[in-house]
Amino acid sequence: VIVCVLVAVPLAAVFFTMRQQRLYEASAEVLLSQQTLASSLSDIQDPAIWQDPNRIAATQMELARVTPLAKRVLEATGLEDRSPASLLAASEVSSRANADLLEFRVRDGDPDLAARLTTAYAHQFTIYRHELNTESLRSARQTLSTRISQLLAEGDRRSLLYARTLIE
């Protein structure tokens, strides 16, 4: 009985291992920049620089795991037939200790697809984060443009309000 168990268990392990689908994993790193566009334009130090770097990294990791971003990754790779939930289940985002880096990892049965998905994930994350960081500037610019258009439509080109609006 003991000999049978010693032979049967390893044979069963080999059998099940050979039947499993192979999974390949690819990884990519993204730098977490502390500089914002607003602080660069105003030459004022960003108050976020004094925040806990671990908290910033944790926030960015959570941001990288949202469904809209996963959907963008699938669209960018032409895999709209997959669900964002399946991409999130086959991927991980982690921060590197003592470094301002996020590491993106994606597992897939096709090594080329795993690499493509990982690259697209990291790239789409940087685009998504940039859009979120610049949304307030875009909104302010739109508001300012609308106000200038209103003043021009009213023929008010010489008023102090018009001059101040152009300066802002």
Side-chain angles (χ1 to χ4, degrees):
V1 171
I2 294 174
V3 172
C4 286
V5 171
L6 289 175
V7 172
V9 171
L11 284 176
V14 168
F15 174 74
F16 287 116
T17 301
M18 293 180 77
R19 294 198 49 154
Q20 284 184 331
Q21 178 186 7
R22 290 181 185 240
L23 284 179
Y24 299 91
E25 184 174 88
S27 66
E29 294 177 334
V30 172
L31 175 65
L32 294 176
S33 174
Q34 295 293 331
Q35 188 174 15
T36 65
L37 183 59
S39 65
S40 297
L41 293 174
S42 64
D43 201 27
I44 297 172
Q45 191 171 28
D46 186 4
I49 198 163
W50 305 112
Q51 290 181 351
D52 179 19
N54 293 329
R55 181 175 181 191
I56 293 170
T59 301
Q60 295 302 311
M61 286 185 333
E62 290 295 321
L63 180 63
R65 304 296 292 161
V66 297
T67 302
L69 177 58
K71 186 175 180 183
R72 285 178 173 210
V73 173
L74 295 172
E75 289 171 358
T77 54
L79 297 171
E80 292 92 356
D81 58 325
R82 290 191 181 188
S83 72
S86 69
L87 173 64
L88 293 174
S91 63
E92 295 175 24
V93 179
S94 60
S95 63
R96 305 266 303 306
N98 301 323
D100 291 333
L101 295 172
L102 283 186
E103 185 176 16
F104 291 77
R105 289 184 304 280
V106 178
R107 292 170 304 283
D108 195 86
D110 178 355
D112 294 330
L113 186 55
R116 231 174 73 215
L117 282 166
T118 302
T119 301
Y121 198 170
H123 181 73
Q124 290 300 318
F125 171 75
T126 59
I127 293 169
Y128 187 66
R129 191 179 68 195
H130 176 73
E131 288 172 358
L132 291 176
N133 289 343
T134 58
E135 180 58 37
S136 61
L137 293 174
R138 248 182 304 194
S139 176
R141 183 178 178 190
Q142 180 62 39
T143 301
L144 188 59
S145 178
T146 301
R147 185 65 182 135
I148 290 172
S149 296
Q150 288 171 346
L151 290 171
L152 286 174
E154 295 168 1
D156 190 2
R157 292 184 179 178
R158 295 178 191 243
S159 72
L160 181 59
L161 180 59
Y162 179 75
R164 282 187 54 207
T165 305
L166 285 179
I167 291 172
E168 292 174 1

